[in-house]
Every structure is written in C-alpha cells, then in structure tokens.
Amino acid sequence: MDFALTGMKVLDFTHVLAGPYCTQMLADMGADVIKIENPATNAEARGGGPFVKGESATFMMVNRNKRSLTLNLKDPRGKEILLKLAKDADVLVQNFRPGTMERLGLGYETLRELNRGLIYCSISGFGLNGPYKDHGGYDLMAQGLSGLMSVSGEPGGVPLKVLSICDFGTGMLSCWAILVAYIERLWSGEGQIVDASLIDTPFFFLRKQLLEYFTSDKVPGPTGWWDVTNAPYQAFETKGGDWINVAGHSAFVWPRFCELIGISELVKDPRFATGHLRHSHREELADILQAAFLTKTSDEWLTLLQQAGVPCGPINTVEQILADAHAAAREMVVERVHPTVGPFKMLGIPVKLSETPGQIRTAAPRLGEHTAEILRSLGYSEAEIETFKKEGAV
Amino acid sequence: MSDQTNSSTTWPADPMLDPSLPLSRMKIMDITSAMAGPCCSEMLADMGADVIKIESPSLTPDSRGGPPVVKGESGGFLIVNRNKRSLTLNLKDPRGKEIFLALAKNADVLLENVRPGTLDKLGLGYEDVKKVNPAIIYASISGFGKTSPYAKLGGYDAIAQGISGMMLSIGEEGRPPVKAGVPLSDFGASIFTAYGILVAYIYRVKTGKGQPFSPSPGDGGKGQLIDTALLDVPIALQVKQMLYYFLNGKLARRMGSGDMDAGPYRAFKTKDGGITLGGTNVNLWPKMCKALGVEELINDPRFDTPANRNKNGAELTELFKPLLMTKTTGEWLASLRANGVPAGPVNNLAQAVADPQVKARELIVEVDHPKVGKFPVVGMPVKFSRTPGKIRRPPPMLGEHTDEILAAMGYDPAHIGALRADGVV
C-alpha cells in the first residue's frame, strides 16, 4: 500500500489532546512520528485517566502509529540526541507553554540554524502573541472565552461544553496548516513557524453565530435543539417519548414535508412562505409540528420521511451508532493489539482516500518503547545506549 | 449539440493570484453549497489556491446560501466563500458540460457536495472526470459517504449530530437532546476534507513527472477520490465518550459544562457572570485552592489526589458553587491568573469579540464587498510566520467572473453572449 506522507519525519513533543491528535493525523497518512517523552513521566502525566493495566487510555486514543523515544532534555546527551533528530526532521510539533522550548535551547531560531526547512508548529492555549500569550489554557477555557459555551445548551440552562472541540479542532487545523507549509516548502525549501491556539479554533466554528451577531446586533444565545438560521431543522419528540431530527427547511423539501405530515395547508400559510419567514416564526411552527410528530413512533416517522426524501435521522446513543451498519461500513472503529493492554479499540480515519487511504499500523507506543531502536539508527552503540539509560539521559 | 469545441486547454488563471502564497499552484473547481464544502475550499483559497466556484445560472443572489439576506446577498454565502471567483454554468446543457470538462481537464482538485448521485447522472462523476484528467483529486462531501448503507440519503449537520450519539453525549442528564450550537459536523468535515486534499496533493506531486520538485506540480501524478461523510465527523470527535464505551460498555454521563474524568473542570456562576476552572492536575490543585482561598482543601482526604477529586467530584462541585458566587469573574480571574491557574470567563459572543486576545489574534477581519460594503468575517484560524494567508477577494457575486473566465478559456464575446442568452451560463 502507498502512503501519501511516507518520508515525512515528525518530532512530536505534545501531550493532552490537541497536539497528539494533530500528529496522529499525520501518522495515519504515513508520516514517521517520533514522540519525545520525559523518561521520568508516568501514565498520569502522559495522558490521564481512565487507566488500563497501568496505561493511560486517553493517551492510547490519540497516539497510535507513533514511536516513543524518551529523552532527558536537561541532560546534554539527551539534548545532543534531540539536535541530531531535529537536523533531519521535516516537522516539529510542541504544545508547551510559550517560552518553554526556548529555555531548553530548542526554540525555532536555534533549530532553524540547524535545519532551515523545519516546519515548527506551536500549539498553545492563547497563541504566541497578545495579552494572554503566557497564560495556560485548556479546551474548557477556550470554549468559555470564545462564546462557544454561550450558544450551546438550552435557553435558560447551564452553558454547555461541546465535547473537547477546541482541542480536537486545534489538532485538525494545525495539521492542515502543517500540510500547507509542507507543500510550500517543496518549492521554497524554507520552513516556518505555524502558530495554532485553542482560542483561535472556536471562531472557525462560530461563523454562523458571528453572522447573526454582526447583521442583527442581537447577541446569540443557546438554541437547544433549534438551529440559528433554519426552520424546521430540529429535533421533535415522537410517540413513546423518543426524539428524531428532521430537516424540512429547504424550499425544495418544504412542500413535500408538509404533505407528508398531513398538514398540507401549511404550504400556503403566509407565516411560513419562505425560509426566512419559517425561521422567524419557528416557535409557532414547531408547536404545530410537534403535535403532529407525537402521533407516530420514531421508526414510523423515519421510514415515511426517508421515503419522501426528507432528510431526517434518529437521535442515537453512542452505543446505537456503534452498532449501526454505517459505523462498520465506514470502518469507524478499529482494534489493534497493545503489548501491555492487549486488544484495544480506537476510532477510524474520518476521511476516505481511494488510493492512499492511510493505515492504522500500531497501537500507541509504551513509554520509551522505541528508544533503543531509534538510538541505534542514529549510530549509538549498545553500550552507549545502556549507559544513557542507566544514567537517566534517555 | 455543442456548436463548437473549444480548443483551449489552459486553465483560466486568476489574475489576482499571489504567487507567494503556499497553494498558489493549486487549481480548484468548487461545486459546493451550504457550509461544509464552501468552507473547505475557502480554507484552500485563503492559502492561495485558485478556486472557481461553479454555480447554477438559475440561482438568485439571496438563494445561494442560508439566511439572513444582507443587502440582497445571502449571508450564509458570504461567510464561507471569500477568495473565490464565480462562474455560472448550466450543467444540464451539453455546452455547460463541455465547459465543465474543459476546466476539469486542467484542474488539480474538484470539490463537490451536491446531492449524492447528481453529478454521476450528469456524466460528471469521478469516473467521468478521471477519463479527461487521470490526475484529478476528486473530493466529495455528503451526509453519509459513498460506502455507507445510507449513501443515497440526504443529510445535514444536525442529523449527523443526532445519529452519531453526540446530541446525547453533550447536554445535561435527564434533559432532552441538544445540538452543539455550532455546526460541528459541517465545519469538521471542511477541515478533514481539506486535510485529505492536501495529503492527496502531496502524493500527487511525489508521483508526478517533475520529480522531485516539479515547477508545475499539476503535471501528471496519481489522482484519487476523497470521500467525506458528515456523520463520520461527530463519531470521530467523540473520542472520550467512545473510549468510555469501549472500555466498560457503559454510556458516559452527560456533563453539562464539565468533563468526565477531571473535577472540578467546569464552569461556575460568579457574582456577575461565569468562570471556567482548570486547576485539576497534581501541580495546579494546590495553586487553585490558594487562589480561591480554600487552602484547607489541598490535603483534604476527599480531594487530595486526582482520583479522589474525580471520585468525589459532585461533592467538590457543591462546595465550589457557593464559593465562586462570592466574587466577580474579574476578581477571581485576577487571583487565579496571579497563581498561574488556567481559568477564563464564560463570555457571550459580544464579550468574546471585544476581548483583547481575540483582537490581537485578528480573529475577526473585514472583507469589502462591492454590494454589501465592509463585512466582518472570521480570520485565519492558524498563523504562519512566513506565508500567512491573505484575503485577496471578497466573496464573489453570482456569475461575477463568468465573462473573464470564459474569455481566458478562448471564448469570444459573441459566443459568451450566445451562451448567456441560452441560459448556459
């Protein structure tokens, strides 16, 4: 099998979720990712709970396809090994607080002198500039500060955290940026700094709310199971207390949707004549539709709506979607054997490429699993490796 | 019934291309609408790609995207289509199809999110385009993907959020399902597809003629089909919820503003608003207790380790709730930040946009649209030190560049006029 990113060498100094997710996306497509870890670290600091047979399971969800090299960067020998690797690397990704790499003597300017093509990606809470650049920040802070929490949840309810979307979104966006810089480097031969932050990411997702705010000057609030701009495009309760999602909002679908639910006079109702009007009268509309949806079960409605070509779907639990034929057909769950933990399930590659689909080759590495192998390939002797280990340099 | 085969085979390059931008060699045909597709091609356009948006001549300026309508233009269009040119083409007309294939012959990437099967029926599916351009990267975004049992069904962001389990993963215990306020499946699909396209482009350059670094990377190389499903996005992003289910076969609790395995990592009400606290790990816990004036909790056996804080998280939350209400968000933040504890306000969007960090990161920028005037849009989501992206063009008006593009392809004004009169463009 061909891999699109075969030959790309990545040094990965990341922990928690955003950074590891970024480098995992590169590793899935064939990049050689070496995770540099502190030999004194433990499962708690590596990725936190839950733990399986002493390993951090969270770590295992975002570090597959990588090798682990332990290096004590405060030991001159550890640093020397690192500089050898950096000289030859294409990409370095780190998510320490701004300034930490510089203190270790591993800042961009230093490494650029060794390797002018190095793409140096920094992932931080607030980015490399601005008044908060030195603050630590997590996904939760970015969700709160950006307004993302204020638009999720029920009106009047608590502000809602949406998954760890600032972490994963930042991982995804920094991967995109690294690939852009890598392509540019093919022509220019020059690397650069790629500066991603958890606070930038939510704005990428907030553009519909920003549009609403900038065009109406109304501050958008949480919309529960509604949508910001479309109606009816929401969840309805059905007979038996279950819920389904229905999208009858488009001009194309609206007439057949009205027909199907048996209220064809809605099509002529001037309150609901255009998409804009349907949205401005969405509460009146939802009341009418909700009453209709209570007359049949979810399964009955989904069958009818699908036959009529009205986009719709069940509201599943995680258990239900994992058992659904879709998850299997899309290979959204894969299992690999971890040397300590044994068989371990993780999530598949979320975009399907026909020629270079990528591959999940290995489970996440154990701490320092590949230290000796990597040092050998750098030309260190077995005796040297033993000494380094004994003296805590690796 | 094509009246004239156009002999031009060159791509009608954007005269406003900036060759210093990283993707300035990449030529993209964009047959997308709504959010996921347009946002994906915008990410590539921001980095310099030459994107031609192909739209139906039967559209109207206010029907090209979602509401609200801003000075006659669809607002939903304006937020995801900058840096592109617009060409109107009736793909059901053989002459429209011919122009489409002439472009496809020289494009690097074709991105589409029209209803599944539509382009195949028109003879413009992957297999058809591959015949005229074997190196094409053909990216397709749909509700369920090409290999799903639901491949033929239409799907939207909210539907994906519901089916994926996400609407029951977020929210609060015992409450009805809620959607993430933002269209996560849409914009997530944009990023994953952009990633797929860039990966495929690198592969294509590597397998192309001009090894190792062709001056014109579009020449030759292996193309491929990229297939993204909106539904796969929220499945892939529920990493922690899925992990818990894989490990013990149980559904994770819905945690509102909090998280499953880190207490107290959640939002609290304060005297005048809300605050998020992130002082949960071994190093930060004592600092946070100090900043909040509850040093006695540092070694309290109920809360002294992360495992104990997690086990007794509900109790800790109940202790923190009245405590946090005693001061304002600003007062708490000053104390927490002075102690190096990650914390932040719970802002509404107006407060967020006004935040000095958001301004410093240039997260909101303006485009100048000929009809709408100055219009705020989201800035670059990642910063590049040497080749920052650039907003070269505002979102195009419907068919704004039709004449320019056709002329560059060798069509004379009379011919273009005839095509327009017949509704082909």
Side-chain angles (χ1 to χ4, degrees):
Chain A
M1 198 192 292
D2 277 340
F3 297 110
L5 300 184
T6 299
M8 181 192 274
K9 298 184 280 292
V10 182
L11 292 179
D12 174 356
F13 289 84
T14 69
H15 51 291
V16 200
L17 295 176
Y21 198 71
C22 165
T23 53
Q24 178 170 288
M25 286 173 72
L26 299 172
D28 282 355
M29 290 298 167
D32 183 2
V33 178
I34 297 181
K35 195 152 185 96
I36 314 283
E37 303 189 80
N38 183 340
T41 196
N42 55 35
E44 177 69 52
R46 236 182 151 202
F51 303 100
V52 195
K53 297 190 180 156
E55 296 280 344
S56 159
T58 301
F59 178 90
M60 292 174 64
M61 286 297 272
V62 289
N63 286 290
R64 66 190 181 212
N65 283 340
K66 306 179 189 176
R67 295 189 290 165
S68 169
L69 165 68
T70 47
L71 282 186
N72 178 355
L73 296 173
K74 288 177 184 153
D75 185 301
R77 293 165 296 181
K79 194 167 157 190
E80 180 192 299
I81 295 166
L82 192 272
L83 292 176
K84 278 189 186 177
L85 288 167
K87 203 171 172 184
D88 196 33
D90 300 299
V91 178
L92 181 152
V93 188
Q94 59 95 1
N95 67 344
F96 294 116
R97 283 199 193 193
T100 306
M101 288 291 274
E102 284 74 10
R103 276 197 298 278
L104 290 167
L106 301 171
Y108 176 66
E109 294 307 327
T110 311
L111 296 186
R112 191 182 181 280
E113 278 173 29
L114 280 181
N115 176 356
R116 73 186 181 101
L118 185 67
I119 294 160
Y120 190 100
C121 176
S122 158
I123 297 176
S124 57
F126 297 100
L128 298 179
N129 67 313
Y132 309 159
K133 66 181 166 61
D134 297 323
H135 292 313
Y138 294 128
D139 173 85
L140 176 68
M141 279 82 241
Q143 293 208 26
L145 199 145
S146 65
L148 192 67
M149 290 183 83
S150 76
V151 301
S152 293
E154 293 176 64
V158 301
L160 218 62
K161 185 165 96 71
V162 177
L163 307 176
S164 298
I165 191 55
C166 291
D167 270 336
F168 293 118
T170 304
M172 293 157 73
L173 286 167
S174 41
C175 175
W176 160 78
I178 287 168
L179 293 171
V180 166
Y182 186 77
I183 288 169
E184 195 270 349
R185 198 193 72 162
L186 293 174
W187 332 125
S188 72
E190 297 281 330
Q192 59 182 314
I193 300 175
V194 169
D195 163 20
S197 89
L198 302 186
I199 191 61
D200 297 358
T201 298
F203 289 89
F204 184 88
F205 292 103
L206 275 162
R207 44 185 95 196
K208 283 178 91 172
Q209 276 82 5
L210 290 164
L211 171 68
E212 189 192 0
Y213 175 57
F214 291 135
T215 53
S216 71
D217 270 333
K218 270 186 246 153
V219 180
T223 51
W225 48 89
W226 303 92
D227 189 60
V228 188
T229 49
N230 298 308
Y233 177 77
Q234 65 187 87
F236 289 104
E237 195 176 349
T238 58
K239 192 175 172 181
D242 217 5
W243 292 72
I244 59 170
N245 270 321
V246 181
H249 61 288
S250 78
F252 180 63
V253 164
W254 171 243
R256 67 168 88 158
F257 169 70
C258 296
E259 193 74 34
L260 176 96
I261 55 163
I263 327 181
S264 45
E265 59 269 26
L266 281 181
V267 182
K268 293 194 198 99
D269 193 317
R271 289 175 299 171
F272 310 129
T274 67
H276 182 67
L277 287 167
R278 288 193 283 282
H279 190 257
S280 8
H281 297 112
R282 61 188 181 276
E283 298 196 16
E284 291 157 70
L285 179 58
D287 287 345
I288 298 169
L289 297 176
Q290 179 56 78
F293 275 107
L294 283 169
T295 61
K296 290 186 174 66
T297 65
S298 289
D299 283 348
E300 288 167 338
W301 277 122
L302 291 173
T303 308
L304 287 170
L305 290 160
Q306 279 174 7
Q307 279 165 359
V310 178
C312 61
I315 294 181
N316 285 328
T317 61
V318 161
E319 180 173 38
Q320 287 167 316
I321 183 60
L322 289 176
D324 192 287
H326 174 91
R330 301 290 289 177
E331 298 174 63
M332 289 310 289
V333 179
V334 290
E335 188 175 86
R336 293 291 178 271
V337 176
H338 182 276
T340 316
V341 171
F344 185 78
K345 286 196 179 81
M346 51 203 138
L347 291 160
I349 297 174
V351 53
K352 311 300 177 190
L353 279 69
S354 62
E355 297 299 312
T356 60
Q359 189 191 45
I360 297 167
R361 300 176 294 280
T362 57
R366 286 175 295 163
L367 181 66
E369 184 175 339
H370 306 92
T371 301
E373 162 189 325
I374 293 166
L375 293 185
R376 255 178 246 129
S377 72
L378 288 172
Y380 291 97
S381 70
E382 297 301 321
E384 279 173 307
I385 296 171
E386 267 318 299
T387 312
F388 290 171
K389 277 191 179 167
K390 215 180 295 164
E391 294 174 7
V394 303
Chain B
M1 60 149 277
S2 150
D3 53 0
Q4 179 193 327
T5 303
N6 198 279
S7 58
S8 169
T9 54
T10 53
W11 174 267
D14 185 347
M16 282 179 69
L17 272 188
D18 181 339
S20 73
L21 290 175
L23 302 182
S24 59
R25 290 164 168 82
M26 186 186 274
K27 303 180 287 290
I28 303 181
M29 292 169 76
D30 172 357
I31 309 101
T32 68
S33 58
M35 289 289 145
C39 179
C40 172
S41 52
E42 186 183 90
M43 293 175 76
L44 304 171
D46 280 355
M47 289 300 150
D50 185 353
V51 178
I52 296 182
K53 187 152 191 101
I54 294 172
E55 303 186 83
S56 165
S58 65
L59 286 171
T60 53
D62 61 348
S63 70
R64 303 158 83 194
V69 175
V70 191
K71 297 199 178 146
E73 296 280 327
S74 153
F77 182 90
L78 295 172
I79 58 175
V80 282
N81 284 291
R82 66 190 181 212
N83 286 335
K84 308 178 188 177
R85 292 184 295 162
S86 168
L87 164 70
T88 48
L89 272 191
N90 177 357
L91 298 178
K92 287 179 185 150
D93 188 294
R95 291 165 294 178
K97 201 172 141 180
E98 184 188 302
I99 296 168
F100 184 99
L101 288 171
L103 285 169
K105 198 171 173 182
N106 295 288
D108 298 303
V109 177
L110 187 156
L111 174 68
E112 64 92 4
N113 69 344
V114 296
R115 273 193 165 243
T118 309
L119 286 173
D120 295 312
K121 258 184 265 164
L122 291 169
L124 302 172
Y126 177 53
E127 294 304 326
D128 305 299
V129 171
K130 200 175 156 186
K131 278 182 203 141
V132 301
N133 179 358
I136 192 83
I137 295 165
Y138 192 108
S140 179
I141 303 176
S142 59
F144 299 96
K146 291 183 185 297
T147 55
S148 167
Y150 313 122
K152 289 194 171 62
L153 298 179
Y156 288 110
D157 171 80
I159 290 168
Q161 290 199 30
I163 299 178
S164 66
M166 183 179 154
M167 286 178 74
L168 296 175
S169 285
I170 62 172
E172 296 173 88
E173 284 295 313
R175 296 294 306 159
V178 282
K179 195 159 80 76
V182 296
L184 200 58
S185 321
D186 275 338
F187 293 134
S190 309
I191 313 175
F192 280 135
T193 309
Y195 153 74
I197 289 171
L198 294 175
V199 160
Y201 187 75
I202 289 167
Y203 182 67
R204 185 178 146 159
V205 172
K206 280 204 279 196
T207 52
K209 281 184 224 158
Q211 284 276 33
F213 304 135
S214 159
S216 124
D219 292 344
K222 288 187 189 168
Q224 58 184 311
L225 178 67
I226 296 173
D227 169 22
T228 309
L230 296 188
L231 176 53
D232 294 347
V233 175
I235 296 177
L237 294 179
Q238 288 178 89
V239 173
K240 285 200 163 179
Q241 288 75 12
M242 295 287 179
L243 168 63
Y244 275 78
Y245 185 75
F246 293 154
L247 287 182
N248 51 32
K250 284 195 199 132
L251 296 175
R253 278 192 301 137
R254 299 169 78 189
M255 296 293 287
S257 74
D259 203 71
M260 282 166 291
D261 49 19
Y265 178 74
R266 51 165 281 158
F268 289 91
K269 273 191 190 161
T270 62
K271 209 174 187 175
D272 66 340
I275 192 167
T276 54
L277 292 183
T280 59
N281 75 26
V282 176
N283 296 328
L284 292 171
W285 169 249
K287 294 182 188 171
M288 181 168 75
C289 289
K290 196 169 154 238
L292 298 176
V294 285
E295 283 97 331
E296 67 275 15
L297 292 184
I298 298 175
N299 296 313
D300 186 313
R302 291 170 298 174
F303 312 124
D304 58 348
T305 64
N308 284 340
R309 288 196 285 284
N310 191 20
K311 196 171 92 193
N312 301 308
E315 203 176 337
L316 187 55
T317 297
E318 290 312 311
L319 277 175
F320 271 31
K321 274 184 184 170
L323 171 68
L324 272 298
M325 286 293 287
T326 61
K327 286 184 187 169
T328 64
T329 301
E331 288 166 341
W332 284 127
L333 283 179
S335 162
L336 288 157
R337 284 176 176 162
N339 283 279
V341 181
V346 178
N347 283 335
N348 66 29
L349 213 57
Q351 293 165 321
V353 167
D355 190 281
Q357 186 69 19
V358 173
K359 287 193 191 299
R361 295 291 286 174
E362 297 175 37
L363 292 173
I364 307 296
V365 294
E366 273 184 342
V367 293
D368 198 354
H369 188 278
K371 223 166 117 199
V372 175
K374 289 206 187 299
F375 188 79
V377 290
V378 172
M380 303 297 159
V382 181
K383 314 300 177 190
F384 294 70
S385 64
R386 196 166 49 73
T387 65
K390 192 166 146 189
I391 300 185
R392 312 181 303 279
R393 291 179 174 278
M397 292 186 288
L398 182 63
E400 184 179 342
H401 308 93
T402 301
D403 287 11
E404 159 187 330
I405 291 167
L406 292 179
M409 291 173 79
Y411 289 84
D412 61 42
H415 195 173
I416 298 171
L419 291 171
R420 177 159 289 124
D422 290 349
V424 180
V425 301

